[in-house]
Amino acid sequence: MDAIDRSLVELLRGNARLSYAELARQVGLSAPAVHERVGKLESSGVIRAYRAEVEPEAIGLGVTALIGIVEDSGGDTDDVLETFRQMPEIESCYFMAGVESFLLKARVGTIAELEQLIVRLSRTPGVASTRTGIALSTKWENRPQPIDPPAS
Amino acid sequence: MDAIDRSLVELLRGNARLSYAELARQVGLSAPAVHERVGKLESSGVIRAYRAEVEPEAIGLGVTALIGIVEDSGGDTDDVLETFRQMPEIESCYFMAGVESFLLKARVGTIAELEQLIVRLSRTPGVASTRTGIALSTKWENRPQPIDPPAS
DNA sequence: ACCCTCCGTGGACGCGATCGACCGGAGCCT
DNA sequence: AGGCTCCGGTCGATCGCGTCCACGGAGGGT
């Protein structure tokens, strides 16, 4: 993870479809060298995936909600997690410090679907309560932040 | 936005670096046809960007926090937004229904940096109070959900 | 029936991806 | 110091892909 790797990561966070030749030009190496570096970044887990970012409304997911989950004292956290994992509407799942063990970001098409999702969440064993906030608009999301050279 | 467009979007959400030739094979069209369709999806705003998804720890961003913001009654929402936009640590910003006008997802390297961020947020004009939750672990994030054919 | 438009195919050509061979510097052992 | 080895790079060649262009068929309007 030297300065060149950091540049590559930053370039690919900005545009995942850059060609190796273009990356090579930007960082001042040859294309095969860049190819090898990117391969290593992928297999070492630094780069996890390349994703197209899609306007959610365009694919029928106009409603975004953030849902806090309070666990039952008796519940098994892993089971709860597994249940959440089965619900495709839950795009992100954070295990949190605080009273609410989980914070979920969910996207659905309509408020009715959100209602159904919340009901399902409330009913899952191990869930004591839920608290839902609706996003009226998304100002920005997953904006990549510039990489500043770490202490190492 | 027909079935083929939806397939293309879904394929690119799974792997943004698929070649046009590969996409063409998957959807049963020629490469130039796919090229044109993807170009239209981009320029019509359905596809907003292609991003490499990076392990945050690997680039020195090991701390994730979700921060709710309550606005001053007198404040100007747009000004507050603009201030938030200048803070690179804020990766996502949702305008919410409820007491807390904004929900921010922020990533920083250390708890000390989070503290500084919270201080800056609290001090920005128009912000009445903040409420911060720390993510102990990210179970998953921005998982693409399968597209089911919309009513249209 | 005719034409127009849209959206696709096929062909061609230049560039990019990718492999293998080679090279130079760093670190280490003798 | 000399030489070995390893790592990570360049160079060159080959093959497939991206991309431009001309052409063609389907569908709708007149």
Side-chain angles (χ1 to χ4, degrees), chain B:
Chain B
M1 244 308 197
D2 62 3
I4 291 182
D5 281 340
R6 263 176 269 125
S7 302
L8 290 174
V9 166
E10 191 146 8
L11 287 165
L12 286 170
R13 286 220 295 171
N15 180 4
R17 279 183 82 80
L18 288 174
S19 68
Y20 292 116
E22 183 58 31
L23 291 170
R25 276 188 287 273
Q26 301 272 340
V27 303
L29 290 182
S30 65
V34 167
H35 186 247
E36 190 180 344
R37 278 175 176 264
V38 172
K40 283 181 184 167
L41 288 170
E42 290 167 3
S43 57
S44 71
V46 174
I47 294 178
R48 283 197 293 221
Y50 301 98
R51 299 203 180 288
E53 195 183 294
V54 172
E55 181 78 33
E57 287 81 3
I59 53 172
L61 296 175
V63 176
T64 304
L66 289 130
I67 308 172
I69 303 285
V70 178
E71 273 186 291
D72 257 350
S73 51
D76 180 329
T77 298
D78 289 344
D79 290 349
V80 174
L81 245 180
E82 198 43 46
T83 311
F84 290 169
R85 203 181 293 275
Q86 304 302 324
M87 300 182 182
E89 303 91 329
I90 302 176
E91 287 196 350
S92 304
C93 172
Y94 305 94
F95 187 62
M96 304 289 290
V99 178
E100 297 177 348
S101 307
F102 295 101
L103 199 139
L104 314 177
K105 186 184 80 181
R107 252 196 257 270
V108 292
T110 62
I111 297 288
E113 284 169 39
L114 178 57
E115 178 176 341
Q116 291 170 14
L117 174 63
I118 296 171
V119 169
R120 265 186 293 151
L121 288 170
S122 308
R123 282 193 190 142
T124 84
V127 169
S129 70
T130 71
R131 184 182 60 91
T132 301
I134 292 184
L136 300 173
S137 80
T138 299
K139 298 308 180 185
W140 65 87
E141 205 168 22
N142 298 129
R143 179 174 61 162
Q145 64 176 285
I147 303 172
D148 43 14
S152 73

Side-chain angles (χ1 to χ4, degrees), chain A residues 19-25 27-38:
Chain A
S19 68
Y20 292 117
E22 182 58 29
L23 291 170
R25 274 188 288 272
V27 302
L29 289 182
S30 67
V34 167
H35 187 249
E36 189 182 342
R37 277 174 177 267
V38 172

